[in-house]
Amino acid sequence: MPLIMSGQEGARVAPSAQEIEAIARRTLAALPEEFRRHLGEIVLIVEDFADDETLKALDIESPFDLTGVYHGRPIGEKSSMESGAVLDRIHLYRRAILDEWIEDGEDLATLVRHIVIHEVGHHFGLSDDDMHRLEDEA
């Protein structure tokens, strides 16, 4: 059953995982070519919340405090000699995203775009400043 959120224009239905994934895929497609061609087979996963193992590993108490996470090795740390490695993944956590969306009043597409670009930045081993520049370019 979808969540019903109270917004400025009255009640509205919370976006589904598929809608959030669609925003994330559009964000990835809009990245500059020099980044897109190096994303490889990165997997995009949208779940309601992070699992307990992920929260514990990141020392996060509330699942509402984690909107996204990159699982994998930054591209600069990989070797062509590796085989059988698990594909890199970007996890987006729908309920935490929706909570932030409602609290901050930011446009959902802008929020998801920010989270995805931040996680892509981890894939490339970028600094926070570099991630902000990438977000400006996408």
Side-chain angles (χ1 to χ4, degrees):
M1 179 174 183
L3 296 172
I4 304 296
M5 307 269 177
S6 177
Q8 294 175 355
E9 286 111 34
R12 53 189 168 162
V13 176
S16 67
Q18 293 80 13
E19 291 169 302
I20 290 174
E21 181 179 346
I23 295 168
R25 292 202 180 281
R26 286 192 301 271
T27 298
L28 292 173
L31 290 172
E33 172 60 27
E34 62 268 20
F35 288 95
R36 280 195 327 267
R37 73 172 165 252
H38 294 292
L39 280 176
E41 296 184 37
I42 200 161
V43 176
L44 183 61
I45 301 166
V46 181
E47 300 171 307
D48 272 350
F49 291 109
D51 60 31
D52 290 338
E53 181 181 334
T54 300
L55 294 170
K56 184 176 180 181
L58 296 172
D59 197 27
I60 296 174
E61 290 184 28
S62 171
F64 283 100
D65 292 337
L66 184 61
T67 56
V69 69
Y70 168 76
H71 289 282
R73 290 185 45 206
I75 200 165
E77 296 177 14
K78 293 183 180 193
S79 166
S80 61
M81 302 303 290
E82 294 177 354
S83 66
V86 175
L87 292 175
D88 296 327
R89 303 170 316 280
I90 292 176
H91 287 255
L92 300 176
Y93 301 113
R94 177 179 169 269
R95 294 289 306 274
I97 290 169
L98 296 179
D99 195 56
E100 187 172 327
W101 173 54
I102 293 302
E103 281 183 21
D104 294 346
E106 186 172 14
D107 174 70
L108 182 65
T110 301
L111 176 60
V112 171
R113 181 176 171 271
H114 173 78
I115 296 164
V116 168
I117 290 173
H118 185 85
E119 301 313 327
V120 164
H122 289 301
H123 173 71
F124 288 103
L126 299 178
S127 70
D128 283 342
D129 286 341
D130 290 335
M131 287 182 214
H132 292 295
R133 278 193 292 278
L134 178 57
E135 191 168 2
D136 290 342
E137 293 177 22

